[in-house]
């Protein structure tokens, strides 16, 4: 019998981007780029001659012949320790290994049984309503327990979905402590089409946020490049629109409800940059309520009375994260051409927070 020395669920984690694969030439100096064994398959004594890509298709789950051929082109598939091309014919007792340029645990997406709230699903895509607190994509310190792991579990029986294939999966992201809508693609064609819509700014994305301070106007526009804060690498910062630093970003906002010391606003993204709403709002003096990273978890407006301080503490406890929700998402379906529009209800923690402020303001007006 053929033996498989590793768990083969998912593979080719190092090819998380086509650019990475293209950087690995056939004559890569292995003294400079160490390779790590991810999978091993030993052909049995009765193995008939068979192309190696076809052979591996029979033994690896969640992959495609095209991806195996690409791996062979870049020297990632070896027989008895020697790189081979995809037309190599496997012989009896050949030891076939898949080697990649990093340890297996770093990037491989493992399916995990994590509950998902799926708003819509068809053969091409799914729209998900993400709760606050769920990391979207594996990264430093969060290699498991993410939305991507949950999607991999949900689609584990899908014949053509490989969670490690960058040509499918999430099309965009939101922060861990931001709740709301995301779209993921099941096919390369769907992802390409959806990514183009995000790039060309034709998608419709509207967020709701509670921010510190009152506005003198009812609506406005924030324009400013966004890049890493040179003084704090955990933060983003805003730079002049004509600056060479950062990426161009535009946020439109509209006041929905005023509470004196804080304001409930609607934000519409013209671009989609890291922390865009959070950093743009801070830039104009309206930091998101309880946004710890940008200082919104301090009392930035209001009185020094102990009763008010206790009220704010209760509000922070009620909604223990930045008060930001990806409320609506609109796009054109990549296959049918139909315009689709989805709305997510305000989550319980933010709804409770708003009700606390309404009660507080009503009490002040009564007094």
């Amino acid at each position: 019998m053929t033996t498989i020395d590793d768990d083969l669920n998912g593979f080719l984690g190092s090819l998380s981007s086509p650019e990475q694969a293209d950087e690995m030439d056939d004559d890569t100096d292995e003294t400079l780029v160490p390779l790590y064994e991810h999978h091993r398959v030993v052909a049995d004594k009765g193995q008939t001659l068979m192309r190696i890509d076809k052979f591996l298709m029979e033994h690896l789950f969640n992959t495609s012949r095209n991806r195996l051929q690409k791996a062979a082109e870049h020297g990632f598939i070896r027989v008895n320790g020697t790189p081979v091309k995809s037309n190599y014919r496997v012989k009896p007792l050949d030891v076939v290994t898949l080697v990649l340029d990093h340890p297996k645990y770093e990037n491989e997406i493992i399916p995990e049984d994590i509950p998902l709230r799926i708003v819509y699903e068809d053969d091409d895509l799914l729209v998900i309503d993400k709760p606050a607190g769920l990391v979207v994509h594996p990264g430093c310190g969060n290699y498991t327990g993410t939305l991507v792991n949950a999607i991999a579990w949900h689609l584990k029986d899908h014949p053509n979905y490989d969670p490690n294939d960058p040509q499918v999966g999430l099309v965009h992201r939101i922060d861990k402590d931001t709740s709301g809508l995301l779209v993921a693609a099941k096919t390369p064609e769907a992802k390409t089409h959806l990514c183009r819509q995000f790039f060309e700014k034709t998608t419709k994305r509207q967020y709701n946020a509670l921010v510190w301070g009152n506005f003198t106007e009812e609506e406005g526009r924030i324009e400013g490049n966004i890049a890493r804060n040179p003084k704090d690498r955990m933060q983003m910062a805003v730079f002049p629109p004509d600056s060479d630093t950062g990426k161009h970003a535009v946020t439109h906002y509209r006041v929905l409800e005023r509470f004196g010391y804080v304001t409930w606003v609607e934000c519409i993204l013209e671009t989609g940059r890291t922390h865009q709403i959070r950093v743009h709002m801070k830039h104009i003096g309206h930091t998101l309520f309880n946004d710890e990273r940008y200082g919104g978890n301090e009392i930035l407006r209001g009185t020094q009375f102990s009763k008010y301080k206790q009220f704010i503490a209760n509000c922070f406890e009620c909604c223990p994260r930045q008060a930001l929700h990806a409320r609506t998402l609109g796009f054109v379906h990549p296959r049918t051409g139909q315009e689709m529009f989805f709305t997510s209800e305000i989550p319980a923690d933010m709804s409770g927070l708003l009700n606390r402020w309404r009660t507080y303001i009503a009490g002040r007006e009564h007094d």
Side-chain angles (χ1 to χ4, degrees):
M1 292 291 293
T2 298
T3 60
I4 303 176
D5 297 343
D6 208 345
D7 176 10
L8 301 182
N9 286 316
F11 109 106
L12 215 54
S14 76
L15 294 186
S16 56
S17 68
E19 293 78 8
Q20 252 185 305
D22 291 339
E23 291 171 1
M24 292 292 292
D25 296 326
D26 292 340
D27 60 350
T28 298
D29 185 348
E30 289 181 31
T31 63
L32 298 178
V33 182
L35 297 176
Y36 303 85
E37 182 177 303
H38 280 226
H39 302 298
R40 172 186 292 250
V41 184
V42 182
D44 63 23
K45 294 181 180 179
Q47 174 68 49
T48 58
L49 293 179
M50 181 184 296
R51 281 179 58 109
I52 196 166
D53 51 357
K54 184 178 179 181
F55 175 81
L56 287 175
M57 278 289 292
E58 295 183 357
H59 298 289
L60 298 184
F61 302 108
N62 295 327
T63 189
S64 67
R65 197 165 182 175
N66 180 62
R67 297 192 72 219
L68 288 169
Q69 290 172 348
K70 184 180 293 185
E73 288 174 9
H74 296 286
F76 290 151
I77 295 178
R78 302 189 170 202
V79 176
N80 305 321
T82 302
V84 297
K85 297 301 182 182
S86 57
N87 63 354
Y88 173 86
R89 293 185 178 274
V90 177
K91 301 185 295 294
L93 301 180
D94 271 350
V95 179
V96 180
T97 55
L98 173 68
V99 293
L100 301 174
D101 57 353
H102 58 71
K104 180 179 178 180
Y105 66 85
E106 286 188 348
N107 290 324
E108 186 170 16
I109 307 300
I110 304 300
E112 295 181 63
D113 189 4
I114 301 170
L116 281 177
R117 184 184 175 192
I118 298 175
V119 177
Y120 174 84
E121 182 174 12
D122 61 24
D123 292 338
D124 302 288
L125 57 88
L126 63 160
V127 177
I128 300 162
D129 196 347
K130 185 189 85 71
L134 180 62
V135 176
V136 169
H137 198 280
C140 183
N142 294 290
Y143 294 109
T144 60
T146 73
L147 180 62
V148 168
N149 298 105
I151 294 172
W153 178 273
H154 177 72
L155 297 176
K156 66 182 187 301
D157 296 324
H158 192 285
N160 300 313
Y161 186 85
D162 178 0
N164 294 286
D165 186 349
Q167 297 180 86
V168 296
L170 285 172
V171 178
H172 59 126
R173 304 182 186 186
I174 57 177
D175 298 328
K176 171 188 174 183
D177 290 325
T178 298
S179 53
L181 297 171
L182 290 159
V183 61
K186 292 183 179 181
T187 68
E189 294 78 14
K191 186 166 186 180
T192 297
H193 196 288
L194 289 166
C195 284
R196 184 180 300 115
Q197 293 182 56
F198 276 84
F199 178 77
E200 294 176 351
K201 306 179 183 65
T202 59
T203 58
K204 297 176 176 63
R205 287 178 289 168
Q206 177 254 309
Y207 290 68
N208 286 138
L210 188 70
V211 302
W212 282 104
N214 202 355
F215 289 79
T216 56
E217 66 282 353
E218 291 297 321
E219 57 185 36
R221 180 179 184 274
I222 310 168
E223 181 177 7
N225 292 4
I226 293 178
R228 289 285 173 189
N229 188 335
K231 298 180 180 178
D232 185 345
R233 300 297 295 174
M234 297 299 290
Q235 292 186 0
M236 306 302 286
V238 178
F239 297 85
D242 57 355
S243 170
D244 292 332
T245 303
K247 296 181 179 180
H248 177 254
V250 176
T251 303
H252 302 268
Y253 65 88
R254 179 170 65 92
V255 171
L256 298 178
E257 197 169 353
R258 299 175 185 270
F259 302 110
Y261 301 136
V262 296
T263 305
W264 181 238
V265 297
E266 172 187 88
C267 295
I268 298 176
L269 294 181
E270 187 173 310
T271 56
R273 310 303 183 196
T274 302
H275 297 181
Q276 179 170 321
I277 292 174
R278 299 166 69 184
V279 70
H280 265 177
M281 281 294 166
K282 179 180 174 66
H283 180 65
I284 64 170
H286 295 287
T287 305
L288 265 64
F289 190 83
N290 207 12
D291 187 347
E292 181 177 1
R293 180 163 296 183
Y294 290 95
N297 61 335
E298 303 288 340
I299 298 178
L300 301 182
R301 298 287 191 282
T303 72
Q304 295 300 314
F305 295 128
S306 58
K307 186 176 180 180
Y308 178 74
K309 290 181 179 179
Q310 185 58 55
F311 166 72
I312 296 298
N314 293 340
C315 287
F316 287 160
E317 184 177 353
C318 172
C319 184
R321 48 104 174 189
Q322 70 255 14
L324 181 62
H325 180 62
R327 181 77 186 278
T328 65
L329 175 63
F331 54 84
V332 173
H333 193 281
R335 182 169 51 84
T336 67
Q338 177 186 357
E339 287 194 54
M340 310 190 77
F341 195 78
F342 302 93
T343 301
S344 168
E345 294 298 320
I346 303 299
D349 58 353
M350 287 181 66
S351 179
L353 176 63
L354 291 173
N355 287 334
R356 284 177 181 268
W357 275 101
R358 290 178 183 126
T359 301
Y360 177 79
I361 293 300
R364 291 185 64 201
E365 291 174 349
H366 180 74
D367 292 340

